[in-house]
Amino acid sequence: MTLDSNDNKKIKPITPLDEQQVTKNSHFLQSFGHAVEGIGQLLVRERNMRFHFFASVIVIYLGFHLRIGRQDWLWTAMAIFAVVMSEFVNTMIENMVDLIVGYEYHPLAKIAKDVAAGAVVFAVMFAMAVGVIVFYPYVLPIIEQLLNLKF
């Protein structure tokens, strides 16, 4: 699917109608291919997901660089997963609401979209708290050494 240049929400199919799949997937690789395509669509269409992906790469790099422990990796992975999954769900809800209501305003559609976006914010706050708790003991000695201070 491609985006219309005039409207980011309007989607045009890239395959002719007679070639679009409307039946159940016939085998695992077909299902897997659709899943990968969905992840790609999320990265292409959602600016916030690209930001979350970039932030995750930085956090993972810092984790390796600072040699964080196994338990810290588990918490870090959980935080990244929570943010990414909430962004997946947020995008699904936004697209389903848009499919149902189109370009009409409906108060329940607004609530659904706002709550889904709030879930992402909540997951990001969780990830930030985990990041502070996990990385503080590793970063504090570096800061002390740079500033030649003791806290």
Side-chain angles (χ1 to χ4, degrees):
M1 301 209 180
T2 58
L3 295 177
D4 183 62
S5 60
N6 298 327
D7 186 358
N8 289 343
K9 293 292 185 180
K10 189 172 183 180
I11 298 179
K12 292 183 177 179
I14 57 173
T15 56
L17 285 176
D18 59 338
E19 294 179 24
Q20 292 179 12
Q21 180 182 345
V22 293
T23 59
K24 195 168 181 75
N25 295 326
S26 58
H27 52 80
F28 173 77
L29 288 179
Q30 189 178 24
S31 298
F32 186 76
H34 291 305
V36 170
E37 183 180 343
I39 293 168
Q41 284 292 322
L42 189 66
L43 287 169
V44 168
R45 295 183 65 213
E46 297 296 327
R47 178 190 69 239
N48 290 341
M49 186 61 177
R50 289 190 300 273
F51 175 79
H52 296 315
F53 180 77
F54 178 71
S56 298
V57 169
I58 290 172
V59 168
I60 291 168
Y61 170 79
L62 285 174
F64 279 117
H65 183 71
L66 296 172
R67 297 185 177 133
I68 65 174
R70 186 177 194 184
Q71 291 289 337
D72 292 332
W73 273 117
L74 290 171
W75 280 102
T76 302
M78 176 91 66
I80 291 170
F81 181 80
V83 171
V84 169
M85 286 306 300
S86 65
E87 192 65 53
F88 271 80
V89 172
N90 179 47
T91 301
M92 288 185 295
I93 290 171
E94 285 180 347
N95 284 295
M96 286 188 294
V97 167
D98 289 346
L99 178 66
I100 294 166
V101 300
Y103 295 103
E104 300 294 321
Y105 176 83
H106 194 285
L108 291 177
K110 179 184 180 346
I111 292 170
K113 286 183 164 190
D114 290 351
V115 170
V120 176
V121 171
F122 197 73
V124 168
M125 290 179 359
F126 169 74
M128 290 171 58
V130 167
V132 168
I133 293 167
V134 165
F135 286 96
Y136 180 78
Y138 297 95
V139 174
L140 184 61
I142 295 169
I143 294 171
E144 287 176 346
Q145 185 178 10
L146 288 173
L147 299 177
N148 200 17
L149 299 171
K150 293 287 183 196
F151 290 102

